[in-house]
């Protein structure tokens, strides 16, 4: 499964110098990238598709850690094992390098890459804590839609995650998430095209609600 970069990979997403020489892996939608409590010997950069991280609690409940898109790094841990599992939300392609480094990476480049990835994960964790602390379910959903929209170029925004994923990420029930999405659409703030695509119609109003 662990394959070197191929010279004839014509459609491969260009990589930065920091990740040059990394292994390229592919995962089908729904396939596990790494498991909870598995040795965290690799870190990953997503170059195509979307992924989620999740943690299974002792009582069987699931907490979504975050959602990752092209260019994001996942698998960064402070310990020796993954606290979360990671699964592909769509067909994915990732670059992978070993945390211990290798002869392919000079120390300065590797240290810079790890520092950047760790800082991004800290920012994600802080943002998620602030999101969970918001007063109302509608504020949480509004903030979530704004956050996803900021990751996309263009008018139409894709939601690769399910409503249950959104609920587990926001600490809400799936019924509440669906109801809040319906309310935001009824108020003219967003417009949905099926279950997985939307457009923000009144950005100022949605942003004010998300920041409440």
């Amino acid at each position: 499964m662990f394959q070197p970069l191929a010279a004839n990979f014509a459609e491969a997403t260009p990589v930065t110098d920091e990740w040059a020489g990394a292994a390229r892996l592919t995962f089908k939608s729904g396939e596990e990238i790494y498991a909870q409590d598995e040795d965290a010997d690799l870190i990953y950069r997503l170059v195509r598709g979307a992924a989620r991280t999740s943690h299974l609690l002792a009582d069987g409940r699931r907490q979504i850690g975050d959602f990752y898109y092209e260019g994001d790094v996942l698998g960064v841990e402070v310990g020796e094992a993954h606290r979360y599992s990671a699964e592909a939300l769509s067909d994915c392609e990732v670059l992978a390098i070993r945390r211990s480094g290798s002869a392919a990476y000079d120390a300065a480049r590797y240290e810079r890459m790890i520092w950047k990835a760790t800082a991004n994960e800290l920012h994600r964790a802080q943002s998620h804590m602030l999101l969970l602390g918001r007063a109302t379910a509608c504020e949480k959903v509004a903030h979530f839609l704004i956050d996803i929209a900021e990751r996309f170029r263009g008018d139409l925004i894709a939601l690769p995650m399910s409503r249950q994923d959104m609920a587990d990420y926001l600490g809400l029930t799936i019924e509440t998430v669906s109801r809040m999405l319906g309310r935001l659409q009824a108020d003219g703030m967003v417009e949905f095209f099926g279950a997985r695509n939307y457009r923000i119609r009144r950005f100022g109003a949605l942003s004010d609600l998300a920041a409440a």
Side-chain angles (χ1 to χ4, degrees), residues 122-195:
L122 177 59
H123 176 73
R124 285 176 177 276
Q126 291 174 335
S127 297
H128 196 189
M129 288 175 61
L130 291 172
L131 176 60
L132 292 177
R134 293 183 180 275
T136 70
C138 202
E139 290 169 7
K140 290 181 179 180
V141 173
H143 189 279
F144 179 82
L145 294 179
I146 290 284
D147 181 61
I148 296 298
E150 289 177 344
R151 305 189 190 197
F152 279 81
R153 297 176 182 174
D155 193 34
L156 193 63
I157 303 142
L159 286 173
M161 70 289 295
S162 67
R163 296 290 190 267
Q164 187 63 63
D165 288 337
M166 292 173 60
D168 290 345
Y169 178 72
L170 296 171
L172 302 171
T173 65
I174 188 172
E175 293 81 9
T176 298
V177 168
S178 296
R179 189 167 64 251
M180 294 304 102
L181 292 174
R183 178 185 298 180
L184 293 174
Q185 179 160 257
D187 289 343
M189 296 187 193
V190 298
E191 180 182 7
F192 276 87
F193 302 87

Side-chain angles (χ1 to χ4, degrees), residues 4-19:
L5 289 170
N8 60 356
F9 207 116
E11 297 182 358
T13 302
V15 302
T16 63
D17 289 343
E18 292 176 346
W19 288 83

Side-chain angles (χ1 to χ4, degrees), residues 62-80:
R62 183 185 68 159
Q63 174 65 55
I64 296 292
D66 213 333
F67 302 102
Y68 296 80
Y69 296 87
E70 294 176 9
D72 290 338
V73 175
L74 61 160
V76 178
E77 302 286 352
V78 296
E80 298 300 317

Side-chain angles (χ1 to χ4, degrees), residues 85-105:
S85 62
E87 302 87 24
L89 287 172
S90 62
D91 289 352
C92 285
E93 188 175 328
V94 303
L95 301 176
I97 62 170
R98 298 198 179 280
R99 291 177 63 188
S100 56
S102 72
Y105 307 98

